[in-house]
Amino acid sequence: IVSRDWSSDVCSSDLDLDESCSVTILDRQSIVYVVRATISRLVGASLSVGSTLPAYCTSAGRILLSGLSSDALDAWLNDAKLEKLTAKTITSTKKLREEVRRAATQGWYLIDQEIEEGVRSLAAPLHDASGKIIAAVSVSGPLERLSRQPGRMHAPAVLAAADRLSESLRRAAAE
């Protein structure tokens, strides 16, 4: 889905949060990083293009899962191995389904220390011309820098970046 180097675009003025920024896609039970722009002060800065993380406990994963049909999500959940990675990791398929619905309803998702203690991540979907979710853009950072109140502070910037990147993808596909 990426036809050029987006590292500078992902952390552009639309997403000027001074945090690590990524674009990911869903690959079976994992998210795969297809674009990654890091800042050195983040604990998870070792992630790079091609790295994978479990989809069930990442903000990008929840956004990507929200784009699945009901039947596809059921199948995904039936195959999922939901392991407790931190004290906050959701391991109940019922609760995970509720959180995926929340991601779909609000159009963005904040994960709070489910993949790594002390780290939050906020993601929004990238859509193709038909409106299908094809990727997710996310920012991640330590608790003290990534507020729990993303609706007021960070969600608008991530949503604006997602809209801009989605439009860029649609234009590239039309060429």
Side-chain angles (χ1 to χ4, degrees), residues 6-24 31 33 35-39 41-45 47 53 57-61 63 107-116 118-126 135-143 145-151 153-162 164-165:
W6 274 8
S7 293
S8 61
D9 286 351
V10 171
C11 290
S12 72
S13 58
D14 281 349
L15 202 49
D16 189 18
L17 301 176
D18 197 27
E19 301 299 344
S20 293
C21 309
S22 307
V23 174
T24 56
I31 59 167
Y33 287 82
V35 175
R36 180 84 171 147
T38 61
I39 59 170
R41 57 189 176 156
L42 178 66
V43 175
L47 294 169
L53 288 174
C57 57
T58 61
S59 61
I63 287 292
W108 54 269
Y109 194 84
L110 175 74
I111 210 98
D112 186 14
Q113 304 180 79
E114 287 192 47
I115 187 79
E116 183 177 348
V119 175
R120 289 190 180 118
S121 180
L122 176 71
L126 300 183
V137 61
S138 63
V139 295
S140 53
L143 300 180
R145 290 199 319 263
L146 196 57
S147 169
R148 273 193 97 171
Q149 304 303 321
M153 298 189 68
H154 302 303
V158 176
L159 288 165
R164 187 178 52 76
L165 292 170

Side-chain angles (χ1 to χ4, degrees), residues 95-114:
K95 178 69 174 162
L96 181 56
R97 184 185 308 279
E98 291 170 7
E99 293 303 305
V100 169
R101 281 192 204 121
R102 178 182 305 188
T105 300
Q106 66 189 14
W108 54 269
Y109 194 84
L110 175 74
I111 210 98
D112 186 14
Q113 304 180 79
E114 287 192 47

Side-chain angles (χ1 to χ4, degrees), residues 68-88:
L68 297 178
S69 69
S70 182
D71 288 343
L73 180 59
D74 288 343
W76 191 94
L77 289 168
N78 285 337
D79 291 342
K81 293 179 179 81
L82 308 180
E83 299 175 10
K84 195 128 189 101
L85 301 178
T86 73
K88 293 191 173 197

